Amino acid sequence: MTKLQVLAAAFLLSAQLVASEDEPNFKMYYLGFDKWDNPETALGFNQTVEKTSDMGFKVSGNAQVLVDMDDSYAVKMELDAAKVGQNYSYSTTLFENQKTICEFLRTSYRNYFYDVAKDDATGKIPEYDKCPLPAGDYWIKDFEFDGEKYKQLLREGSFWSHLYLTKNGFPMSGLTWHWEIRLD
């Protein structure tokens, strides 16, 4: 490496360190949870959320799966966003994905929830490799979410995360979490 390349590399590293010290001081605000479930046919659920820090929450909840769920069931995930303070009618969809229940368990559920929750939470959660998903009572207590780990991915705004369960393409139940990320 030439002296010029070393100098350039040192400059770039210094610039990154200065930039990281000046990164925005985001705070996350949980604004609510909406659900529509159908415990008479497939699924009933409930949850509580407790704020633990500017970027953290503790979640507890339970789900009653009343039937074995095979690939005639699917999970649709959606993330919508708007400017801080705007309501849902001003939102745009940032992400949308749908997977059969078995594919969802093996991929999204395993990668973003199961592998973290199995060691860090108390409860009985579904196994990612059991399909059809067996009927039963599932629960989790005091699962901690730490948004600090994701700060570099965040932007200011109002967000809605949706998770829908369908059967043969027809909506069965759904969850929506609403939160804001603000510079305070």
Side-chain angles (χ1 to χ4, degrees):
M1 197 180 258
T2 69
K3 288 182 183 179
L4 185 56
Q5 289 172 321
V6 171
L7 193 56
F11 176 76
L12 289 173
L13 179 60
S14 316
Q16 287 177 339
L17 291 175
V18 169
S20 67
E21 289 175 9
D22 294 336
E23 73 182 25
N25 186 22
F26 288 122
K27 290 187 181 174
M28 190 178 293
Y29 297 90
Y30 177 75
L31 300 178
F33 165 73
D34 291 317
K35 69 174 184 163
W36 54 279
D37 55 358
N38 195 345
E40 294 177 6
T41 58
L43 179 68
F45 46 81
N46 209 343
Q47 79 168 23
T48 60
V49 177
E50 174 189 341
K51 188 171 177 77
T52 57
S53 69
D54 286 343
M55 296 296 291
F57 300 93
K58 191 182 292 185
V59 179
S60 297
N62 65 299
Q64 302 84 36
V65 177
L66 301 176
V67 297
D68 291 348
M69 291 189 184
D70 59 16
D71 273 347
S72 64
Y73 290 88
V75 176
K76 180 178 180 183
M77 299 166 282
E78 186 177 309
L79 176 63
D80 298 311
K83 291 181 181 177
V84 170
Q86 289 186 327
N87 66 35
Y88 185 72
S89 64
Y90 292 97
S91 70
T92 58
T93 300
L94 300 178
F95 172 81
E96 188 174 10
N97 191 349
Q98 183 167 317
K99 297 178 179 187
T100 64
I101 191 76
C102 297
E103 182 183 10
F104 172 77
L105 290 170
R106 286 189 311 268
T107 59
S108 302
Y109 171 78
R110 179 183 182 188
N111 295 332
Y112 299 107
F113 182 76
Y114 181 84
D115 284 345
V116 176
K118 69 179 169 72
D119 296 328
D120 295 338
T122 302
K124 178 186 173 196
I125 59 176
E127 297 291 326
Y128 68 87
D129 58 353
K130 299 268 196 265
C131 209
L133 172 64
D137 291 326
Y138 299 99
W139 59 277
I140 193 163
K141 184 175 182 188
D142 297 337
F143 174 71
E144 295 206 31
F145 172 80
D146 182 6
E148 290 287 336
K149 297 176 185 176
Y150 306 99
K151 252 187 169 173
Q152 71 277 11
L153 303 173
L154 299 179
R155 69 173 204 191
E156 194 171 35
S158 190
F159 299 90
W160 294 265
S161 294
H162 310 280
L163 194 65
Y164 304 107
L165 178 69
T166 65
K167 169 131 173 101
N168 297 321
F170 295 100
M172 297 291 294
S173 60
L175 303 167
T176 298
W177 297 271
H178 180 205
W179 76 94
E180 283 189 343
I181 297 172
R182 299 185 218 147
L183 287 169
D184 285 345

